[in-house]
Structure formats: structure tokens, C-alpha cells
Amino acid sequence: MQNTAAAVVPPSSVVLHHHHLLSLFRSSERIEEAKKLHCLSLKTGAFHHSSVSSRLVSLYTARPINDLIYARSVFDRIQTPSLPLWNMMIKCYIENHRSHEAICLFSHLLSEFSPDNFTLPCVLKGCSRLCAIEEGKQIHGVSVKLGLTLDKFVQSSLVSLYSKCGILDCARKVFNEMGEKDLVTWNSLIDGYARSGDVETATKLFDEIPDRDLYSWTALLHGFSKSGKIEAARDVFDKMPAKSLVSWNAMINGYMRSRDFESASDLFKIMPERNLITWNTVIAGYQSNGRFEEALSMFVRMLEEEDDLKPNNATYTSLMSAVAASAILSTAKWVHSYMVKNGIGSDGVMGTLLIEMYSKCGSIESGLTAFRSINGKKLGHWNSLIVGLGMHGMADVALELFKQMQESGIKPNAVTFVGLLNACSHVGYVDKARFYFDLMVQEYKVEREIEHYGCLVDALCRTGNLQDAKTIIEKMPMRPNKVIWMSLLRGARNYVDIEMGEYAAHQLIDLAPEFHVPLSNMYAAAGKWEKVSEVRETMKMKGIKKEAGWSLIERKGVIHRFIVGERSHPQTEEIYAKLKEMREKLKAAGHIADTRQVLLRIEDKKEKEVELELHSERLAIAYALINNSNSPIRVLKNLTVCNDCHSVTKLLSRIYQRDIIVRDNSRFHHFRDGSCSCNDFW
């Protein structure tokens, strides 16, 4: 009792501290000072004076301090916070990019106060950031009830909300009802129309605007770039009275989107300054347009030239996507190593991309290691690995992983079942494919999409169930795409069903003329040379050219590219000597060439065999056998492996006791000791 009485501060002392603290608050601008005053207010009991606690909230929420955690801790200890305090807290949440919590706090405010013309613009800004249009409309309704719809700040915030969310009729209606329109409001509406692709209306508003700033010009520039009107975008860019870094980045992005890499590069070279967005724009532009080596080169250049810039998630997303598409494992390992050294974790999206990158670079083992290292695995991580395992022909492991996922309580989605069905398809598990096709709807209520039908059709075609595949196609609730018809055509070719092949081919040709090529190949494999001539004549008339086959192999950071009959490589003599050795060893092992795979009209059997021997992947394998002593041979191929090359590669893996991993245009083949991971279904 004695200690408690001693701790009580007399009321006069409280008043003294209260006035003293308030005077100190006025000069406080640093978080350390604010914390000391906060501590002093608690010790003296002055904290419970409303003017002191309110001033603390104001201090913590205002710049330069803007400390949300301390502001909220004070706010929560105030018994009846005033409306200005609620407004301060909502604004602080918005400024700390925690818009969802700001909207939740606003909903609590409604039970205590009617919001004012300071509250509504703040919370509407949060709705804009989240594109929370339904919540925004409800807040618009609140403004109507409170008679705040004519307040210019509320109106401006509503125009911004509706414009950013693409509800342009509502944005225009509010805009037209406004009396005084400031530049921010004009810019919001111009930006809304530009983002939606209505550059005509955006241009009309731009011409009507009483005054313009950099944002006005840049919004219009973005609109033209996004709409593919790159010349109009450049015209705007050239006419700008001053150019910000944002406008330079927007113009470069426009050139990248229109595949004008030369103009993008020219602008990049003469920019007065660059930021991370600049580099990300160029890297992403190259990656999304299939120029993967240039994307990687730009990343390395950024590291060399920009000491102050650190790659962010957007950088790594483009980078890992480029590496995955290029399928160079050594580069994938270098990127992963760089990320680890720079403290980039593998949780979230980065983990998903990491697994995908390793899978597509041919090292599913590294993908598995990355998966196991992730704490708190999300659905995306499970999906990425299931898809990767299926791509590598490891269906049993993929299906077992799905069981583990179920046991962990993770609910599968549409992507999960694409991965499972694809895994079944790649190894000929047609009954299991049917099972998962039914399971997704019956147990998990996942709606079937065209990809799921495509995977089932592919499984049926690979196993020779062509009529069943045709029935599935005819009963699909959506129009079949090129992938589905191609599966049927490929199956018809493999199982020599000319009638079915012609049916699939004609459907394909209606969708895209370039699919004359697989029809020609089917006729050639069946020895119907008159039909081949007819199709090739049609192709010639329509200007359709067959894509040349190539194979890539990487050694010590250098990419070696081979085409059929390649003779320009520096080691040509050694490669052809190795081909001769391979031919002799294959013959001794009992290999008989499948000359049906020769798609040219050659009568002599030996000439046909020579034609097969010069396929690009065999040249790549010969090169690897010469130069790579014991490591697995990794080949990237742009077309599907032919039957004869598949048989040959199986034998070579046993003859030379080497693992050979081939990535063709649809999957991976892991050849080891005379067998392939695909179980001869591909």
C-alpha cells in the first residue's frame, strides 16, 4: 500500500507535465525523441490526458516519423478516440501501403462517428490501390447519405477510384458533376481512359485540359504504347516539354511491347539516368519476346554498371523465366547462387519460380531440393513440382507427391490437375488420367478447363485410343484448340491411322495454316508421297515454310547449336568420326534404323539411314561424348524427337554408360542404361 501511494503523482504535477510535454512535442521530429516523450508521459501519468495521447498519435502518424506500430499502440489505449484521431490512423495505414487494414479500420469508425471530407478521400485512396470497387461503391453511397458528394476532394478521389478500376462511365459521371476540377482529377480520368485502351477519348481530354503536367503527358504516352500505337506514342514523347524518368521508361516499354528492340536500345543508351524500373523493363521485354540471351546479358550488365541498384522480385521473375526457357543448367545454378548470396529467400513466388527454373533446365533433382528447403509450402510450390515431375516423366513421384499434398491439408486447384493429368499422359497412364479427370470435379469441385481436356486427349492418343479421344473432343463444352487437334494428329501418325490423321489435320489447318507441316509428315511416314507432294505444293503457294530442326548443347558457358548435317562446327572432323563409331556400336547392339522417319523421298535404304544419322540431336550427342567425360549429356531440341532418334539415344545411354537428358518441344526424356523415363509414350 505504501509503495502504491508513493507512485501516485499529484494532479498539479500532472498538469505541469501535461503542458511541458505538449511544448516538447512541438519540437519533436525524430522517432527517438517521440519514444522518450511517450515513455515520460506514461511515467508521469500525463499520457491519460486526452491532449497528450492525441498529440502522441499525431506525432507518430505524421512525417517524418510515420510509425504505424507505435501510433496504433497509442490509439488502442485511448478510451474514446476523436474523429481526427481515426482519420490520422486511416491515413497512416494508407501511407504504409496497408490499404486493407485501413478499410477495416474505417468500417469500425462507422459505428462511432460519421466520416468527414478528410476520412473519405483517404479510404477511397485505399480502395483505389486494391481496386476494391465494391467497397468503393459503398463508400460512395456513404458520401451521398452524408451530403459530401459535392466536396471537391471526395469527388476527385471517386474519379481516381473509378478510373483506376476501369469503371469509366462512373468516373465520367462524377467528373461531369464536378464544379472545380483540379489537374489531379483531369489526369486521373485521362489515365483511366488511356489504361483501358480508349486513347481517342484520352487524347480528347488531354486537348481540353486547361493545364498539363508531366503526369498528363506520360498518361497519354502509356495509353498509346499499350494500344500498340507506337508512332503516336513517340510523337507524344518528342513533344513533351520536359521528360521525366517515368516517361523514358514508358517509351522504352512501348518499344519492347511492339518488338522494336533497336529503338528501345537506342533510347536506353541516351537516357540521362536509369533506375531499377528501367532495367526491369528491358530485361522483361527481352524475356517476354523470347530473346532470352539478351535478357540474361542485360541482367549481368546491370550488376556491372549499377552499384547502387539491387534486383527485386520483378527482376528475378523475368530472369528466372528467361533461364528456364533457355534451359541452361549452369546459368540456373549461377542465378540461384547469386540469390542465396544476396539473401533472397525461396518462400512465396520466388520458390515457385526456382522449382520451375530447375525443372525446365533438366535438373528435377535440384527442383526437389529447392522444394524441400521451403518452409510453409504453399499451393504454388506443390503445383510447380508436380508439373515439373510430370514434364520429366516421373509420374509415380508426382502422384505420390499429390498424396502428400492432400495429407498436408492443401486443397488442389486447376493447375494441380493439369500437372497430374500431364504426368499420366507422358508415361501412358490412361486409366489414372481418367481417374484424376473425374476426381477433380467429383471430390474437389474444380471446373474443367480446356487444358484438362487436352491432357486427357493426349493420354488417349499416346496409348492408341484414338476413337475415344475423338469422342472426348466432340463432347467438349468448349471449342478444341490447336494443341488438342495436334495430339490427335500425332497419335494418328504414330498408330498409322491416316483417316483420323486427315480429320485432325483439316481441323488444324482451319485454325492455323502452318499445320500443313504435320500433315505432310504423316503422309511421308506412311509412304504416301503423292499426298506429300500435294500438301507441299499447297504450302509453297501459301508461303508456309517448315521449321528447321536444331539441337543445343552447353559446355563451359558456350552454347553449341547443331542443325541436320551440320558441318560448320570447329570440331566437325572429330564429330563425324564419333558418329561413325556410334553407328558401328549401334549396329553391333542390333539397332535397325526406322527409315519411316525420313521425311524426304529417298529410295535407297542406306541413304535413308545416313539421313537419320545426321539428325541434329545425334550431332549434339557426338559432340558431348567427345568433350564431356562423365557428366550427364543435356540436349535442348526445338522439335519432337523422332522414333529412330529415341531408340538410338536409349541404346547410346547403355553403350556409353551415360545419362542423356533431352528436352524437346513438349517434355524431357531421361535416358539411362537403355531405357527412357517416358516409357516410350511421347
Side-chain angles (χ1 to χ4, degrees), residues 67-362:
D67 191 304
L68 179 58
I69 294 173
Y70 276 96
R72 186 62 193 256
S73 70
V74 175
F75 180 82
D76 286 342
R77 294 189 65 179
I78 299 174
Q79 192 169 2
T80 55
S82 64
L83 179 59
L85 293 180
W86 284 91
N87 288 343
M88 288 177 200
M89 287 305 308
I90 291 170
K91 183 183 178 185
C92 193
Y93 273 111
I94 296 296
E95 289 181 346
N96 282 276
H97 299 279
R98 293 169 69 170
S99 299
H100 182 267
E101 288 154 290
I103 296 169
C104 290
L105 190 62
F106 173 77
S107 68
H108 292 308
L109 176 151
L110 293 175
S111 63
E112 303 289 335
F113 294 100
S114 293
D116 60 14
N117 60 347
F118 184 89
T119 322
L120 296 181
C122 281
V123 76
L124 285 169
K125 186 176 182 179
C127 293
S128 296
R129 286 182 177 171
L130 299 174
C131 209
I133 193 62
E134 291 306 317
E135 290 82 355
K137 286 181 177 179
Q138 290 172 23
I139 295 166
H140 189 175
V142 170
S143 73
V144 172
K145 290 179 182 178
L146 297 174
L148 294 173
T149 51
L150 296 180
D151 181 90
K152 67 178 182 178
F153 297 110
V154 174
Q155 288 176 320
S156 181
S157 299
L158 285 168
V159 171
S160 177
L161 166 73
Y162 289 130
S163 296
K164 286 181 179 176
C165 297
I167 315 297
L168 294 171
D169 54 343
C170 292
R172 191 59 182 263
K173 184 178 178 182
V174 176
F175 181 83
N176 290 340
E177 291 171 353
M178 292 179 70
E180 181 186 349
K181 303 176 180 74
D182 60 15
L183 182 57
V184 172
T185 308
W186 280 93
N187 285 344
S188 294
L189 195 60
I190 290 169
D191 187 52
Y193 280 110
R195 286 174 183 272
S196 71
D198 187 354
V199 288
E200 290 182 10
T201 304
T203 304
K204 186 178 178 183
L205 285 166
F206 181 82
D207 292 337
E208 293 173 4
I209 194 170
D211 194 14
R212 299 166 185 157
D213 63 4
L214 268 174
Y215 191 94
S216 318
W217 287 93
T218 306
L220 194 62
L221 172 59
H222 268 301
F224 281 123
S225 295
K226 187 177 178 181
S227 302
K229 298 178 179 179
I230 197 65
E231 291 180 4
R234 185 57 191 256
D235 184 56
V236 171
F237 182 77
D238 290 338
K239 288 178 179 176
M240 291 177 75
K243 297 176 178 67
S244 66
L245 183 53
V246 174
S247 59
W248 282 91
N249 289 343
M251 194 65 240
I252 289 173
N253 185 48
Y255 278 129
M256 281 292 180
R257 289 170 68 97
S258 64
R259 298 182 61 83
D260 186 351
F261 306 111
E262 186 176 347
S263 296
S265 179
D266 290 342
L267 271 187
F268 183 83
K269 289 174 185 174
I270 63 172
M271 289 179 74
E273 61 173 323
R274 300 172 186 138
N275 62 6
L276 184 58
I277 293 172
T278 313
W279 289 95
N280 284 351
T281 298
V282 176
I283 293 168
Y286 282 130
Q287 180 270 320
S288 61
N289 284 290
R291 299 171 75 109
F292 308 120
E293 288 184 25
E294 284 146 301
L296 297 172
S297 175
M298 288 303 295
F299 176 76
V300 173
R301 183 178 165 186
M302 182 185 83
L303 298 182
E304 292 172 347
E305 295 183 11
E306 306 282 0
D307 293 335
D308 297 333
L309 294 183
K310 296 294 181 185
N312 61 9
N313 280 7
T315 321
Y316 289 119
T317 297
S318 297
L319 179 65
M320 286 195 278
S321 297
V323 175
S326 64
I328 306 302
L329 181 58
S330 59
T331 307
K333 289 181 176 179
W334 176 81
V335 169
H336 189 192
S337 174
Y338 179 87
M339 291 172 65
V340 171
K341 286 178 183 176
N342 286 274
I344 307 300
S346 56
D347 296 335
V349 176
M350 292 298 102
T352 301
L353 290 169
L354 190 63
I355 296 165
E356 182 181 324
M357 178 178 71
Y358 274 128
S359 297
K360 289 187 176 179
C361 288

Side-chain angles (χ1 to χ4, degrees), residues 443-485:
E443 184 168 336
Y444 292 102
K445 309 298 184 237
V446 175
E447 187 176 345
R448 293 179 186 131
E449 298 171 8
I450 195 165
E451 291 82 6
H452 302 108
Y453 283 95
C455 290
L456 181 60
V457 166
D458 193 49
L460 291 165
C461 291
R462 288 176 191 271
T463 52
N465 296 286
L466 302 181
Q467 193 56 52
D468 287 351
K470 183 171 180 283
T471 301
I472 292 285
I473 293 170
E474 290 171 345
K475 291 182 177 180
M476 282 172 57
M478 67 283 290
R479 187 184 179 191
N481 60 13
K482 294 183 286 188
V483 175
I484 289 174
W485 289 119

Side-chain angles (χ1 to χ4, degrees), residues 370-423:
F371 176 80
R372 293 185 186 115
S373 71
I374 296 170
N375 296 317
K377 298 175 182 64
K378 303 292 192 299
L379 176 59
H381 302 129
W382 292 92
N383 283 349
S384 189
L385 187 56
I386 288 170
V387 169
L389 290 165
M391 193 192 311
H392 283 264
M394 300 173 69
D396 291 330
V397 184
L399 302 186
E400 179 58 35
L401 189 71
F402 176 65
K403 288 181 183 177
Q404 294 175 25
M405 176 180 155
Q406 289 174 303
E407 290 166 1
S408 70
I410 301 288
K411 186 179 178 181
N413 64 2
V415 177
T416 317
F417 285 101
V418 169
L420 293 169
L421 290 166
N422 209 28

